[in-house]
Amino acid sequence: MKIKLWGVRGSLPVPGPHTVKYGGNTACIELRIGERLIIIDAGSGIRELGDFIIAHELPKKPIKVDLFLTHTHLDHIIGFPFFAPIYLPGTFLNIYGPVTYEDNYLEEVINGQFTYRYFPVRWSELSARMNLLYLREEQRDLGGGLSLSTKYLNHPVLCLGYRFEYHGKVFCTLYDSEPFRNPFSSDPSDPAYERGMTLEGEETAYQENQRVENFVYGADLLIHDGQYTQDEYLSSKIGWGHSSCEHAIDVARRNAVKKIVLFHHDPLRRDDEIDILEEKYARTANIGSTEILFAREGMELDI
Ligand SMILES: [Zn+2]
Ligand SMILES: [Zn+2]
C-alpha cells in the first residue's frame, strides 16, 4: 500500500508564509494498491490530487476512484467541487460515507454543494458517473484481497475511522476523534451526582475507548488526530472532537502500532510550532517500537 498526503490541516485551509512547510490544505489522503486508487476525504487537498490524476493517468485510462469520507464537516468535503475528474465523462466514482438517522444524508450534503448559492455548477451538470454508498460500523470485502473495517469515533457528528487490510498489511485512519468520556458528574458534592450513573458512564467510556484501541491494534501505519497538545486539550478543548498528540502516541504505543502520523494540525499552528512538537515527540521521544511522524503535505509512505 502506498499512501500520499495531499492535505493534513484541520478545520479550514490556511495558506500563507507560516504553513509552507507542513501545508495549509485540509484533509485528503491518497491510497494506492496496485492499479487501484482510493482517496480518503475531499478536503481542499483533493484539488491538486485531481489535477495530478488528470495529468498523469487520464492519458492511460479512464479515472476510477473509491472516495471514502470520514464525515461531512466542511474541512473534509470542501475540495470536492474542485476535484476536476468529476467534470470528465469517463470518470467513475464510488463515494462512501457514514449512515446517519437522516434520509438521503450523503446526497444532500454532497449534491447540496452544487447549488447556485454555493457554487456555479449544478450536480446534474457533472459528467462523471457517481455512486453514493453508506457505511455503518462494519467489515466489508472490497475485492482483490482488500478488506475494510470501520469504527464510529467520538466527534460532534457521526465520523468513521477506517482500517484497510491487504496482504497482511494494515493501514488505519483515526482522526476527527477524541477519547470517549463519562458524560455524568463524578463529583459527589455536585447536586446532579448519581453514583450509579457515574459508574455506568465510566464503564461505557472505558469500553468504547478500548474498542477504538482494538480497532488500530497492530497497524503498520496509523494516521491519527493530533490537533492539540495535552495542555491545550485539557485547558479548553474537551468536547471539540479532537485528540492531543500525547494521547495519540500513547494509543499507538499501547497497541503495537509500527508507525503513527499525527494529522489534522490545528489551523493556528505555525510551521515553527509544529517543528517544536516534532522535535519533542518525533525525535527525542521517538524511542521504542513505534515510529512517530508529523503529517506534511506531499509526504509519501509505503507499507
Ligand atoms: Zn476535520
Ligand atoms: Zn470534523
Side-chain angles (χ1 to χ4, degrees), residues 31-45:
L31 168 61
R32 297 270 180 180
I33 300 167
E35 291 282 288
R36 189 167 191 163
L37 172 57
I38 289 170
I39 300 174
I40 304 161
D41 279 335
S44 64

Side-chain angles (χ1 to χ4, degrees), residues 71 73 76 155 176:
H71 64 307
H73 278 165
H76 300 259
H155 199 56
D176 288 61

Side-chain angles (χ1 to χ4, degrees), residues 253-267:
R253 285 190 170 145
R254 273 198 297 269
N255 292 283
V257 169
K258 295 191 182 65
K259 188 178 288 191
I260 181 172
V261 175
L262 295 157
F263 184 80
H264 205 279
H265 303 310
D266 192 283

Side-chain angles (χ1 to χ4, degrees), residues 116-129:
Y116 285 144
R117 69 179 59 176
Y118 298 123
F119 198 68
V121 179
R122 288 178 301 171
W123 179 257
S124 59
E125 294 174 276
L126 301 181
S127 300
R129 280 192 302 138

